[in-house]
């Protein structure tokens, strides 16, 4: 007799801001007036006039640059951002390959969601790490170093220098649940599956409630599992992260451009699929442009699921019918 799985797909948008602007030869405002080039030789300026200044560094992961007519996305590879007025106007260096002399452009910025609800959890302490990935330079932050740290578990931090770093994963990293494990990227580390592999798998048994894995101040992109049509493998959900058993906390993380199977019965979570065990808690995180058969951003089954002060935007459940496949 076939077991019917009841999936809980929570798409809860507590609060978010999406701010748009049109690029002009000089300033860019939120007037939504379409203006035409030419653009500056090496940079353009974006002024986010709604919502006030953007505190701290402008995160390129939160910017979308598009052709205003076709909405085709222009990658921001190599672009840098700087501000001289406290985060209101931002000078953006032209990304690699950016040379549209006649194209009207549109920029969108996804701001961090505000803290409206009292969070049930706080950032875990990482003052005494068990493992540190890297020795102070981007080159030292390798996949091999990450693999070694995850194999040991415990508190894991990164020392890759002062600038954002992306570590590309070529094979899924299996977190062995023998003790509580914390990964903290300090807001500088992106883990990428390169569009070819899942990034992390946390697996024990459905009924095991401990240990807890905490992921904080990290970004996950390019996670991928399979494109088998109508796959019956439910563990292919979770393009970036798959969790079976234990307990799971995500704090201040970004998930964008992760993909699970486009069709399949009970296959869920373009970014995260959390199954069984104890609770799943997600706080202050952003999920955008992720895709899976069920639950474009998150799939959850068989545990208490809570989502606080987070944003889910532009995610896609690509199956058909109530439970496709």
């Amino acid at each position: 007799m076939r077991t019917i799985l009841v999936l809980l797909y929570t798409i809860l948008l507590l609060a978010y801001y999406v701010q748009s602007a049109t690029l002009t030869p000089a300033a860019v405002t939120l007037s939504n007036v379409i203006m035409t080039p030419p653009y500056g030789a090496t940079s353009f300026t974006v002024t986010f006039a709604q919502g006030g200044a953007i505190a701290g560094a402008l995160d390129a992961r939160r910017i979308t640059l598009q052709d205003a007519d076709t909405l085709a996305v222009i990658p921001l590879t190599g672009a840098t951002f700087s501000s001289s007025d406290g985060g209101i106007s931002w000078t953006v260096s032209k990304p690699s390959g950016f040379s549209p002399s006649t194209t009207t452009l549109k920029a969108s910025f996804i701001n961090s969601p505000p803290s409206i609800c009292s969070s049930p959890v706080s950032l875990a302490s990482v003052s005494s790490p068990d493992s540190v990935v890297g020795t102070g330079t981007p080159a030292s932050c390798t996949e091999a170093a990450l693999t070694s740290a995850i194999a040991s578990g415990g508190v894991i931090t990164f020392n890759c220098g002062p600038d954002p770093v992306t570590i590309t994963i070529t094979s899924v990293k299996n977190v062995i649940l023998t003790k509580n494990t914390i990964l903290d990227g300090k807001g500088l580390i992106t883990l990428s599956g390169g569009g070819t592999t899942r990034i992390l798998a946390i697996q024990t048994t459905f009924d095991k409630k401990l240990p807890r894995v905490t992921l904080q101040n990290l970004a996950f992109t390019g996670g991928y599992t399979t494109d088998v049509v109508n796959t019956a493998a439910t563990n292919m959900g979770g393009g970036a992260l798959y969790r079976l058993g234990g307990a799971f906390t995500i704090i201040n993380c970004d998930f964008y451009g992760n993909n699970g199977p486009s069709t399949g019965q009970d296959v869920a979570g373009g970014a995260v699929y959390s199954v069984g065990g104890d609770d799943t808690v997600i706080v202050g995180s952003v999920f955008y442009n992720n895709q899976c058969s069920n639950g474009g951003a998150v799939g959850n089954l068989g545990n208490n699921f809570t989502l606080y002060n987070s944003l889910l935007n532009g995610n896609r459940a690509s199956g058909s019918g109530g439970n496709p496949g």
Side-chain angles (χ1 to χ4, degrees):
M1 178 179 180
R2 181 178 179 181
T3 300
I4 300 177
L5 301 178
V6 180
L7 297 176
L8 170 63
Y9 302 113
T10 305
I11 302 181
L12 174 61
L13 179 58
L14 295 177
Y16 74 91
Y17 299 100
V18 177
Q19 303 176 331
S20 298
T22 302
L23 305 186
T24 70
V28 180
T29 68
L30 295 175
S31 61
N32 293 319
V33 175
I34 300 298
M35 300 180 186
T36 58
Y39 303 99
T42 59
S43 65
F44 50 82
T45 301
V46 181
T47 301
F48 296 107
Q50 294 179 1
I54 300 169
L58 184 63
D59 192 338
R61 299 174 306 205
R62 300 286 183 86
I63 292 284
T64 300
L65 185 63
Q66 295 173 287
D67 182 310
D69 298 320
T70 67
L71 299 184
V73 175
I74 299 172
L76 284 168
T77 305
T80 60
F81 303 85
S82 61
S83 176
S84 59
D85 59 7
I88 296 175
S89 298
W90 290 82
T91 298
V92 184
S93 72
K94 284 188 176 181
S96 301
F98 178 91
S99 58
S101 58
T102 60
T103 303
T104 300
L105 298 176
K106 180 180 180 180
S108 299
F109 173 65
I110 300 177
N111 204 357
S112 297
S115 296
I116 294 177
C117 301
S118 297
S119 172
V121 296
S122 301
L123 288 169
S125 174
V126 295
S127 58
S128 300
D130 298 295
S131 300
V132 178
V133 177
T135 57
T137 65
S140 67
C141 288
T142 63
E143 180 182 9
L146 177 62
T147 301
S148 176
I150 289 176
S152 299
V155 177
I156 302 168
T157 61
F158 296 79
N159 181 18
C160 307
D163 299 318
V165 169
T166 297
I167 302 175
T168 300
I169 306 302
T170 60
S171 62
V172 62
K173 304 307 162 196
N174 293 296
V175 180
I176 307 302
L177 286 180
T178 58
K179 58 182 175 181
N180 291 339
T181 295
I182 302 166
L183 275 77
D184 189 330
K186 300 179 182 178
L188 295 174
I189 304 301
T190 296
L191 301 181
S192 171
T196 62
T197 188
R198 174 184 281 150
I199 299 168
L200 292 178
I202 306 159
Q203 301 190 64
T204 175
T205 59
F206 185 94
D207 58 348
K208 189 172 182 179
K209 296 185 179 298
L210 292 173
R212 178 176 296 276
V213 173
T214 300
L215 306 174
Q216 56 190 41
N217 302 320
L218 287 160
F220 298 84
T221 188
Y224 171 84
T225 54
T226 181
D227 57 2
V228 173
V229 176
N230 289 333
T231 179
T234 57
N235 63 356
M236 289 294 99
L241 307 174
Y242 176 74
R243 192 269 286 201
L244 173 63
F248 198 26
T249 302
I250 296 172
I251 308 175
N252 294 353
C253 289
D254 276 21
F255 296 84
Y256 60 102
N258 300 287
N259 292 276
S262 59
T263 57
Q265 190 86 8
D266 300 328
V267 181
V272 175
Y273 193 17
S274 185
V275 179
D278 205 351
D279 59 356
T280 300
V281 181
I282 300 176
V283 175
S285 295
V286 177
F287 296 80
Y288 51 106
N289 297 336
N290 303 286
Q291 173 271 325
C292 192
S293 178
N294 298 269
V298 179
N300 197 77
L301 169 66
N303 63 72
N304 292 326
F305 178 86
T306 53
L307 180 67
Y308 289 79
N309 303 327
S310 295
L311 177 156
L312 291 88
N313 187 60
N315 303 287
R316 179 171 177 258
S318 52
S320 61
N323 195 4

